[in-house]
Amino acid sequence: RHRKTEKELVKSESSREQTDKTKGSKVEDIDMKEKKKKNISLDPVRWFSAMPPAPLKRSQKCFESGVELVVEIANLQSEIRGVQNRIKYVKRLKWKNMKKKTEE
């Protein structure tokens, strides 16, 4: 059997690392390409054209911000209803306590 010297071992390990690194970068490149494809497919404006017109992009951004505002408003309305219900509950408790005190 032939035993490898330390230099030969170091060379073989470094060459393996280099091949792993090149494979890794190729994999990363493929991943980046897939992510870009997914991003394009997720953006409806890009379904019809690679270079959509600027007014269409602006209108899309306005629509997105409008949807965000609607969600925020709905959340605030829900929170307000919760506070109103809590106020009603506290008023009922207060009324019951006052009624008990007057009966005593």
Side-chain angles (χ1 to χ4, degrees), residues 83-94:
V83 170
Q84 288 173 336
N85 290 336
R86 181 72 179 161
I87 290 171
K88 286 180 186 177
Y89 174 73
V90 170
K91 282 183 179 179
R92 267 190 259 130
L93 285 177
K94 183 180 175 184

Side-chain angles (χ1 to χ4, degrees), residues 52-67:
L56 186 58
K57 288 181 184 179
R58 278 194 304 271
S59 64
Q60 182 186 29
K61 287 180 183 176
C62 288
F63 179 80
E64 288 173 353
S65 66
V67 169

Side-chain angles (χ1 to χ4, degrees), residues 14-53:
S14 64
S15 65
R16 266 191 245 134
E17 288 175 5
Q18 288 175 352
T19 56
D20 289 344
K21 287 180 183 176
T22 57
K23 285 180 185 176
S25 65
K26 288 179 184 177
V27 170
E28 289 173 8
D29 290 342
I30 292 170
D31 287 343
M32 292 299 287
K33 287 178 184 178
E34 288 177 8
K35 285 180 183 178
K36 285 181 183 178
K37 285 181 184 178
K38 286 180 183 178
N39 286 340
I40 289 172
S41 66
L42 292 176
D43 189 5
V45 172
R46 301 224 183 244
W47 291 351
F48 305 103
S49 171
M51 296 291 294

